[in-house]
Amino acid sequence: MAKQAVATRGTGIRQACVDFAISETCYRYQPKLSDENGLIADCLMRLTYNQKNWGFGLCFLHLRNVKGHAWNHKRVYRIYRELELNLRIKPRKRLVRERPQPLAAPEAINQMWSMDFMHDQLSDGRNFRLFNVLDDFNREGLGIEVDLSLPAARVIRSLDRIIEWRGKPAAIRCDNGPEYISGALQQWAEQHGIKLDYIQPGNPQQNAYIERSKPRTELFFDWIDEQLQRQGLLPSNPFTKALAYARERRLGLEVFLGDLDVPIDTNHLERALRAIPMGRKSWLFCWTELGARHVGIVQSLIVTCRLHGIDPYTYLVDVLQRVGQHPATRVAELTPRQWKQHFADNPLRSDLHTIQR
């Protein structure tokens, strides 16, 4: 617009720059090195043709470090975009997850049994297994079989022993373990007219029956509603405040009914982790947010060690020496819970340990 005013109206260059609020340098600017744009485009076309998996970053580094061109990265990227050489980013495939099916409530004994395995470790390092069978109606434990190995034949023998005194169930709920999907167990169930009700893959909580807690929880909140409707209870009464507090948080208090990983009482965890939020105002020496995050990670490890009865100093000294040579596929073994099983008996020591002794 300034050049048009100078050309058509005879306005001076200085006055035109003042009127349009631009500098004289901007007015007199002439693009330079425009002839090299064709060379840049040619180099990019040849690179992307020979290296089809290279993006802009690799192409620019090749031109700068290998070919020795001093072109600005913004200029090269502008031409790269104009040539439409951008690589297509493949979208991630979303897995279709099935919705978990609700558990049916049995109305009498021997309608539905549940069986599952538990495992633990002996002091000498050997693993042993426990085969548990219970009745879903009254949560009665019908049998526990313990051994170092429990194949499908032992499972069948344990079920036959329980059926002799308890009677035959209509169905048995179990997971998709190798002992349960074996042909021997399926043939045994077909001969006895027992239905094997396998849970959905990826939903182990379906095998743990929780319907016994639901009626009691519902009765508790019904009682709270009755108490709040009583005459004579003032809003300022501490008893009224406690009832209202529980009713407002009903959804949170009922989480344990649908997620077995959530314990009913988490006070011990809250007490153990209280040191982390209470100390955050005194941790200004971390200087940066990243440093404070690292302090929180270390504090969480220390608290977790104490909850498992592990000396935090012994754990950190061992893990910091072991992590460099430990297989990445088995990094979970270095968490406090699994570390106690695998390495607590013979941990790695530091030089300070030898000096102190």
Side-chain angles (χ1 to χ4, degrees):
M1 294 177 66
K3 290 183 177 181
Q4 184 179 1
V6 172
T8 58
R9 298 181 179 274
T11 308
I13 296 177
R14 179 179 300 178
Q15 185 62 37
C17 293
V18 172
D19 294 339
F20 291 98
I22 61 174
S23 64
E24 293 188 28
T25 303
C26 179
Y27 178 87
R28 302 180 187 278
Y29 174 77
Q30 297 292 332
K32 299 178 182 180
L33 303 177
S34 59
D35 297 337
E36 291 187 353
N37 290 346
L39 177 60
I40 297 174
D42 182 63
C43 292
L44 290 174
M45 292 294 293
R46 284 189 284 106
L47 274 178
T48 54
Y49 180 79
N50 296 328
Q51 306 292 341
K52 299 184 182 300
N53 294 329
W54 281 17
F56 169 74
L58 290 177
C59 293
F60 178 75
L61 291 176
H62 182 82
L63 294 176
R64 173 65 63 87
N65 300 330
V66 179
K67 297 299 183 180
H69 298 295
W71 298 322
N72 186 277
H73 69 281
K74 292 181 288 186
R75 180 185 183 189
V76 177
Y77 185 67
R78 174 175 56 81
I79 300 174
Y80 182 83
R81 291 290 301 271
E82 291 177 354
L83 295 175
E84 298 182 354
L85 299 177
N86 302 58
L87 291 177
R88 174 179 174 269
I89 300 177
K90 296 182 179 179
R92 293 184 179 181
K93 295 182 179 179
R94 295 189 177 183
L95 299 178
V96 179
R97 301 184 180 273
E98 298 181 358
R99 299 185 62 181
Q101 299 174 357
L103 295 177
E107 299 178 354
I109 61 173
N110 291 343
Q111 283 190 357
M112 177 66 72
W113 290 2
S114 292
M115 58 182 181
D116 200 4
F117 283 101
M118 298 177 63
H119 63 88
D120 206 337
Q121 194 175 55
L122 300 174
S123 59
D124 57 0
R126 293 183 300 169
N127 295 323
F128 67 93
R129 308 183 73 188
L130 297 90
F131 174 65
N132 306 290
V133 183
L134 53 88
D135 194 322
D136 287 349
F137 175 71
N138 55 0
R139 305 294 295 165
E140 178 184 357
L142 305 180
I144 301 179
E145 190 81 11
V146 183
D147 206 335
L148 299 178
S149 177
L150 292 171
R154 291 289 301 277
V155 172
I156 295 174
R157 189 172 67 184
S158 300
L159 293 175
D160 286 334
R161 189 184 304 117
I162 297 173
I163 291 176
E164 289 180 359
W165 64 270
R166 177 72 175 190
K168 184 176 64 175
I172 301 178
R173 181 184 289 111
C174 58
D175 56 23
N176 297 271
E179 299 86 357
Y180 301 142
I181 63 176
S182 64
L185 184 61
Q186 294 180 357
Q187 184 179 0
W188 173 86
E190 185 177 355
Q191 292 175 355
H192 290 75
I194 300 175
K195 177 185 176 183
L196 294 178
D197 189 5
Y198 294 103
I199 65 173
Q200 291 177 279
N203 293 284
Q205 68 274 11
Q206 292 184 351
N207 199 21
Y209 206 75
I210 57 175
E211 293 296 332
R212 186 181 181 186
S213 300
K214 289 184 178 179
R216 298 183 181 182
T217 307
E218 293 176 357
L219 290 175
F220 171 71
F221 285 105
D222 291 342
W223 176 81
I224 290 179
D225 294 335
E226 293 178 0
Q227 297 298 320
L228 290 175
Q229 294 176 2
R230 286 172 47 191
Q231 299 292 333
L233 282 179
L234 299 177
S236 59
N237 192 322
F239 180 64
T240 308
K241 293 181 179 179
L243 295 176
Y245 179 88
R247 187 173 65 175
E248 291 174 359
R249 289 158 178 81
R250 178 171 182 173
L251 294 178
L253 295 174
E254 292 180 341
V255 170
F256 76 97
L257 297 175
D259 190 348
L260 296 179
D261 293 333
V262 179
I264 298 177
D265 183 11
T266 58
N267 289 333
H268 65 291
L269 298 177
E270 294 179 3
R271 288 193 298 268
L273 296 173
R274 186 174 299 172
I276 298 176
M278 289 182 63
R280 60 186 178 184
K281 293 184 179 180
S282 302
W283 292 342
L284 299 178
F285 62 87
C286 298
W287 293 98
T288 62
E289 183 179 353
L290 180 61
R293 188 181 299 114
H294 289 169
V295 170
I297 294 173
V298 174
Q299 287 285 350
S300 300
L301 284 174
I302 293 175
V303 170
T304 306
C305 290
R306 291 173 178 172
L307 289 175
H308 288 86
I310 302 172
D311 180 28
Y313 178 79
T314 303
Y315 167 78
L316 291 175
V317 169
D318 177 89
V319 170
L320 290 177
Q321 298 181 76
R322 195 184 300 273
V323 67
Q325 56 189 2
H326 198 76
T329 56
R330 294 160 46 197
V331 70
E333 295 179 356
L334 299 182
T335 57
R337 181 176 61 85
Q338 297 192 26
W339 179 90
K340 184 177 181 181
Q341 300 176 2
H342 295 88
F343 310 111
D345 296 336
N346 189 22
L348 300 178
R349 302 288 185 178
S350 65
D351 297 337
L352 294 177
H353 180 76
T354 307
I355 296 174
Q356 291 176 357
R357 294 183 61 183

